[in-house]
Amino acid sequence: MLKKLTEIHAVLTQVKAQVERALTQEVLTLRFGWEFEWYLHHDGKETQHLGLIDLPPLMYLDGGKPGHQLSWGLRFYTLRHAGTELRAVELLTPRKWEFPDVWFVPTGQVRRLYRYLLRRQRRAKREQPPIMPPGEQQSLWDNTIGVLKRDQRLLRQYRITQKRGVLLLGSPGNGKTMACRWLRYEALRRGLAWNQVTSEEFQAARSNGSIRDLFSLDEPGVILFDDFDMALRDRQRYGDEGQSTFLTEMDGMHPKHGVIYLFTSNLNLDELDPAAKRPGRLDQILHFNNPTAELRRRFVRETWPAPLLEKFDWERVVADSHGWSFAEMEEARKSAVIRWLETGQVDWSPTLAKMQARFSQEPLRRPVGFATGNHGVVGEIIGPAAQMTSIYK
């Protein structure tokens, strides 16, 4: 153990010196919590990347956006705050269990960057719960945050692993992202960990042998695998593109405790690999179809400005929006509000005509509407996981 720590310290010392040469100033070696890291990635502008010490940067290439990314090296960020340019450098390595998540920040900017991150955290708005039938929202809660907040001693007494796999399935624009944002907020405010993995990160980890890192957390929390069609679809129909490795890590030789695997996907239910639906991997599937009339009514009541609600025939809005997704409902809301702000006119007809014109330009638009399927729980997977549900409820 001591030898390993000594080796890590020696490498970090060399990398720190490399960063100081690049920035021409002294830096401090730091670690950030997940939320602070998210703000740095989201708010920071990537200015350059370098390889480690004397090595060239190791890039990961893929056909998706952005098409390539740094897999191993140093990533330099700049942030603007109160007229000052703040710098931060992220160390990326292929094996996180050997090297910690490390950042380098100019010594003279550490306090200002910390204040910026704290203010950014305070400004973060409370995420509203997703618009779902109350029973389904409660079911989503019970199988994610609710599992992690249960008494671990009681679960151990009944030999139940504090682990769940939950899949949010359905076409884009119908609330999967809203549900994930809500869960993320609720997890972080309760001191639970949250990590997000993209398909690009999965492919990069697969190529450098660090997939196990993606399925582990240092403390109880949620790991979101966002838009993970590739790892969940049927191998018999689409071929094995890493599904076997992915499924093995979910419940393989190294049992996971205190973790919720949360997935989002646009696949149809029959496109999922049968092995993925096995209890212990996916314990619950929630389907997000186009909203029912009642859910559209809730969307209008909860998101439209009060002055418009007083003047609009919002029941007509609900009726005219049959078959629309939540994303399309939001587009219509913005259009109506902008027209009201610019002209002072309260008229639904121009917005409806605009939306209908948009739909007419999409000849391949899939049939939509409540008739296409129920918005809600597809079902608990039959088996041991169903027995666990009675303890979680």
Side-chain angles (χ1 to χ4, degrees):
M1 179 66 176
L2 181 60
K3 179 180 179 182
K4 176 61 68 176
L5 289 175
T6 302
E7 293 173 352
I8 292 175
H9 182 268
V11 173
L12 289 179
T13 300
Q14 294 183 66
V15 174
K16 178 176 181 289
Q18 178 187 5
V19 173
E20 290 177 335
R21 289 193 299 270
L23 296 179
T24 65
Q25 54 188 314
E26 182 182 352
V27 299
L28 191 65
T29 306
L30 299 170
R31 293 192 69 195
F32 292 107
W34 185 91
E35 192 169 10
F36 279 6
E37 279 201 345
W38 190 88
Y39 295 140
L40 289 169
H41 289 145
H42 183 268
D43 299 351
K45 178 181 179 182
E46 185 177 347
T47 56
Q48 65 172 324
H49 55 254
L50 298 175
L52 297 179
I53 311 175
D54 297 325
L55 299 173
L58 177 62
M59 305 299 295
Y60 169 66
L61 304 180
D62 186 35
K65 283 188 174 184
H68 65 278
Q69 59 182 354
L70 184 65
S71 180
W72 190 358
L74 294 168
R75 188 153 54 192
F76 290 70
Y77 290 93
T78 60
L79 301 92
R80 299 291 300 179
H81 174 59
T84 302
E85 186 178 81
L86 302 178
R87 305 296 300 274
V89 182
E90 181 182 18
L91 170 63
L92 298 175
T93 61
R95 296 182 181 274
K96 291 186 179 180
W97 65 81
E98 293 183 2
F99 286 88
D101 296 322
V102 167
W103 290 74
F104 303 94
V105 177
T107 303
Q109 295 187 350
V110 171
R111 289 190 176 183
R112 276 178 289 177
L113 181 62
Y114 183 51
R115 286 197 296 268
Y116 169 84
L117 294 172
L118 286 176
R119 290 171 183 171
R120 180 69 166 81
Q121 185 181 52
R122 295 190 191 106
R123 289 198 309 268
K125 294 181 179 179
R126 183 185 187 279
E127 292 293 344
Q128 295 298 318
I131 299 178
M132 302 170 62
E136 296 173 14
Q137 180 181 320
Q138 186 63 47
S139 180
L140 176 61
W141 172 272
D142 289 341
N143 285 279
T144 53
I145 310 298
V147 172
L148 297 174
K149 299 307 290 184
R150 288 289 181 179
D151 189 334
Q152 294 188 31
R153 293 173 298 176
L154 179 63
L155 296 179
R156 284 197 297 267
Q157 178 182 343
Y158 290 98
R159 293 186 296 177
I160 296 175
T161 303
Q162 197 178 29
K163 168 183 168 290
R164 294 284 267 174
V166 178
L167 172 61
L168 310 186
L169 202 64
S171 56
N174 280 317
K176 299 192 301 294
T177 298
M178 181 184 293
C180 292
R181 288 173 178 168
W182 172 64
L183 289 174
R184 173 184 174 272
Y185 172 83
E186 295 294 339
L188 293 177
R189 69 190 288 258
R190 286 166 171 77
L192 298 170
W194 182 280
N195 196 15
Q196 181 170 339
V197 179
T198 65
S199 57
E200 291 81 6
E201 289 172 331
F202 172 74
Q203 292 287 24
R206 183 186 175 201
S207 67
N208 59 41
S210 61
I211 285 182
R212 192 171 303 162
D213 283 349
L214 304 181
F215 291 82
S216 301
L217 292 171
D218 294 333
E219 53 191 348
V222 180
I223 303 177
L224 169 62
F225 293 87
D226 196 23
D227 285 333
F228 248 70
D229 296 359
M230 170 272 302
L232 296 172
R233 58 191 179 189
D234 192 344
R235 287 166 289 180
Q236 295 296 323
R237 296 170 61 178
Y238 301 103
D240 194 332
E241 299 179 359
Q243 293 97 314
S244 297
T245 303
F246 185 86
L247 297 173
T248 298
E249 286 300 329
M250 284 186 68
D251 63 349
M253 297 296 295
H254 304 275
K256 312 299 190 300
H257 300 276
V259 62
I260 303 298
Y261 296 130
L262 179 64
F263 304 89
T264 67
S265 174
N266 299 325
L267 294 173
N268 295 320
L269 188 60
D270 62 359
E271 293 179 294
L272 295 177
D273 193 289
K277 293 184 283 187
R278 196 185 78 190
R281 287 174 174 163
L282 291 180
D283 304 290
Q284 186 185 50
I285 300 176
L286 294 172
H287 205 98
F288 289 72
N289 279 331
N290 295 313
T292 64
E294 180 55 34
L295 293 181
R296 297 197 304 277
R297 185 175 291 108
R298 280 184 54 192
F299 180 88
V300 174
R301 287 175 174 173
E302 296 174 15
T303 65
W304 283 51
L308 284 187
L309 286 178
E310 294 172 359
K311 300 176 181 178
F312 254 80
D313 180 2
W314 46 269
E315 282 294 346
R316 180 191 170 191
V317 175
V318 173
D320 288 341
S321 60
H322 173 76
W324 295 9
S325 67
F326 277 128
E328 290 159 348
M329 294 286 294
E330 174 63 11
E331 182 179 341
R333 184 193 72 84
K334 290 179 179 178
S335 177
V337 171
I338 290 174
R339 178 178 175 80
W340 170 59
L341 293 175
E342 292 181 346
T343 68
Q345 299 179 4
V346 180
D347 187 357
W348 168 245
S349 297
T351 296
L352 178 61
K354 178 180 178 181
M355 296 298 294
Q356 290 174 335
R358 173 177 176 258
F359 296 151
S360 68
Q361 297 171 3
E362 301 178 7
L364 298 180
R365 190 168 185 262
R366 297 173 61 183
V368 295
F370 184 51
T372 62
N374 294 324
H375 178 291
V377 179
V378 170
E380 293 283 345
I381 305 300
I382 303 300
Q387 299 172 13
M388 280 196 287
T389 304
S390 62
I391 294 179
Y392 295 138
K393 295 295 187 182

